Amino acid sequence: MLSADLTPYEKIVAYAQGCLETDASCHDWDHTLRVLKSALDLGRIEGTDESVVTVAAILHDIARPVEMRDHGRSDHAFIGAQMAYDYLAAEGVRDDVWRRHVADCIRTHRYRSRTGEAPATVEAKVLFDADKLDSLGAIGLARAFHFAGKTGARVHNSAEEALAGESYGREDSAYREYLVKLKYLPEAMLTKAGRETARARHEFMKRFFDELDAECF
């Protein structure tokens, strides 16, 4: 339980920041704030329950440090959903339907879902899209290179080397992330506004990697 002197919103923010303070990766509090902004922007277009979107966005990556510690063997979305549900219950949120709605958004926000569940509500779809938008464009490139550097991957490699590599290995470059995931995100988006923004950001990434290839090979 957090200090009673804090407002409910401040408590949720403080809890999320506490969960993420051990993770210096690209899934830090800055990422959470960008996802929150995008989720609220998309949510206003889609007509969502802003309270659900806000809390789900703030808490969506609270289990990321767990996944980072075991090199991806854990599922941060699944673990984080349960953590969020339990935290909200411990903080006295009595509306079980609302708590489950928030947890469902978190559990289904991941692109590489391990549960087989897809976002079912408009709030879950907005969180999914907002999280993916932060993986595209200039910020997506910055995050991809940050992650690759943190795990000791190469700065750049060929498509053949990248695709033959493994997650968290030396060939797990930013380019590999683009080839196996990021280039497919625009068509995976679940809202019209999210899809339009994703396509524009993807074009920027494609031009960047085309130039990087030209300079390196």
Side-chain angles (χ1 to χ4, degrees):
M1 298 285 285
L2 295 168
S3 171
D5 295 331
L6 299 176
T7 67
Y9 177 80
E10 289 171 336
K11 287 183 179 182
I12 293 169
V13 167
Y15 172 69
Q17 289 177 319
C19 290
L20 294 170
E21 66 183 3
T22 60
D23 186 5
S25 75
C26 50
H27 297 96
D28 57 6
W29 180 242
D30 289 339
H31 164 70
T32 295
L33 290 177
R34 292 190 299 269
V35 171
L36 174 59
K37 181 182 183 302
S38 292
L40 290 175
D41 289 344
L42 293 175
R44 293 185 188 103
I45 297 171
E46 297 295 323
T48 58
D49 181 330
E50 190 168 292
S51 68
V52 171
V53 170
T54 298
V55 175
I58 291 171
L59 298 177
H60 82 281
D61 264 352
I62 54 176
R64 263 291 177 181
V66 178
E67 187 172 307
M68 283 296 296
R69 283 196 295 270
D70 65 14
H71 285 191
R73 288 187 289 275
S74 298
D75 182 347
H76 78 278
F78 182 81
I79 297 171
Q82 188 63 54
M83 287 173 61
Y85 179 85
D86 293 343
Y87 164 74
L88 294 170
E91 284 297 322
V93 179
R94 296 182 180 181
D95 188 340
D96 186 66
V97 173
W98 189 88
R99 291 202 312 269
R100 290 191 183 280
H101 194 169
V102 170
D104 288 345
C105 291
I106 295 170
R107 190 175 61 256
T108 59
H109 84 272
R110 185 174 185 168
Y111 176 70
R112 301 183 181 105
S113 173
R114 298 185 188 178
T115 65
E117 294 179 85
T121 64
V122 64
E123 290 79 14
K125 292 175 182 178
V126 160
L127 178 60
F128 179 92
D129 281 10
D131 186 54
K132 304 307 155 291
L133 286 177
D134 207 52
S135 297
L136 293 168
I139 187 61
L141 285 167
R143 292 178 68 223
F145 279 97
H146 187 292
F147 185 86
K150 182 178 176 64
T151 58
R154 298 171 67 185
V155 171
H156 191 50
N157 47 6
S158 68
E160 293 76 17
E161 291 168 328
L163 292 173
E166 298 180 352
S167 296
Y168 294 87
R170 177 157 168 73
E171 301 298 337
D172 194 10
S173 62
Y175 192 37
R176 181 178 185 274
E177 181 71 355
Y178 172 77
L179 292 173
V180 303
K181 173 187 175 182
L182 305 183
K183 66 185 292 186
Y184 301 108
L185 291 184
E187 300 313 310
M189 304 298 275
L190 302 174
T191 67
K192 182 183 179 191
R195 191 174 301 111
E196 290 173 352
T197 304
R199 285 172 176 165
R201 292 190 181 192
H202 169 258
E203 283 302 312
F204 177 84
M205 296 188 88
K206 183 179 183 303
R207 292 195 302 272
F208 174 86
F209 281 116
D210 286 346
E211 175 63 24
L212 191 58
D213 271 348
E215 292 181 10
C216 293
F217 303 115

